[in-house]
Amino acid sequence: MADTCTCEAAPVLIFPCSGGSNVGQIANQAAVELTKEGVGKLFCLAGIGGHVESFIESSKGNRLVVIDGCPTACARKIFDHVNLPVTDYIVVTGLDIKKAHNFDLERNDIEKVCAEVKRRLQCNL
C-alpha cells in the first residue's frame, strides 16, 4: 500500500496577519509564497474582519490557516469575532522569530513559517 495521503482535503485558505512589524510581514510573505507554491490560497483577512458576508460564507467548510505575527493574535481574534473555526493556527514569534518594529525580513524566517504551515497541513496517516 502506498504511503500517500488519500483523504479528501478541503481547500486551504491562508489568512496572514500582515501587521506593522517584521513578524506580521513575515506572516504575509509566507502566505504569498505558499499560494505561489499551490499549498493554499491567500485570502482576505480584511474582508472577514469587515464582516463582508460573501467572504465569510465562502470561507465556511474550508481548511482555514491563520498566521499571526505575535501573541496579540489580531487575526485569530477576527475569526473568533465572526465565529469561524480556525483549523490551523500559527504564531510567527512562537517559532523563535523575534518581533521588531521594522521590515527587515530574513529569508530563513519566511522559510521557517512556510515549513511549519506545510507540516501542519500534512495528513495523519
Side-chain angles (χ1 to χ4, degrees):
M1 190 167 224
D3 196 25
T4 60
C5 178
T6 58
C7 59
E8 296 276 334
V12 175
L13 302 181
I14 306 170
F15 298 86
C17 127
S18 305
S21 68
N22 65 321
V23 292
Q25 292 307 306
I26 288 167
N28 188 65
Q29 188 59 41
V32 168
E33 293 186 18
L34 290 163
T35 298
K36 287 181 177 180
E37 291 175 24
V39 173
K41 179 181 175 187
L42 176 63
F43 213 70
C44 186
L45 181 64
I48 303 296
H51 295 248
V52 177
E53 194 60 32
S54 62
F55 284 56
I56 293 169
E57 285 302 313
S58 63
S59 297
K60 291 179 179 176
N62 294 297
R63 191 154 182 185
L64 306 180
V65 177
V66 173
I67 310 171
D68 261 317
C70 68
T72 302
C74 297
R76 177 67 183 244
K77 289 174 182 172
I78 288 170
F79 280 82
D80 291 345
H81 186 72
V82 296
N83 296 315
L84 271 176
V86 172
T87 53
D88 302 275
Y89 182 62
I90 294 144
V91 179
V92 174
T93 57
L95 300 173
D96 294 324
I97 299 170
K98 300 281 186 208
K99 182 176 182 175
H101 294 282
N102 63 48
F103 299 109
D104 300 328
L105 310 185
E106 298 292 331
R107 180 84 219 138
N108 61 326
D109 291 339
I110 296 164
E111 290 170 358
K112 188 185 287 189
V113 174
C114 289
E116 181 62 16
V117 170
K118 291 175 187 176
R119 184 187 72 76
R120 296 204 187 179
L121 290 175
Q122 290 179 350
C123 277
N124 296 323
L125 300 175

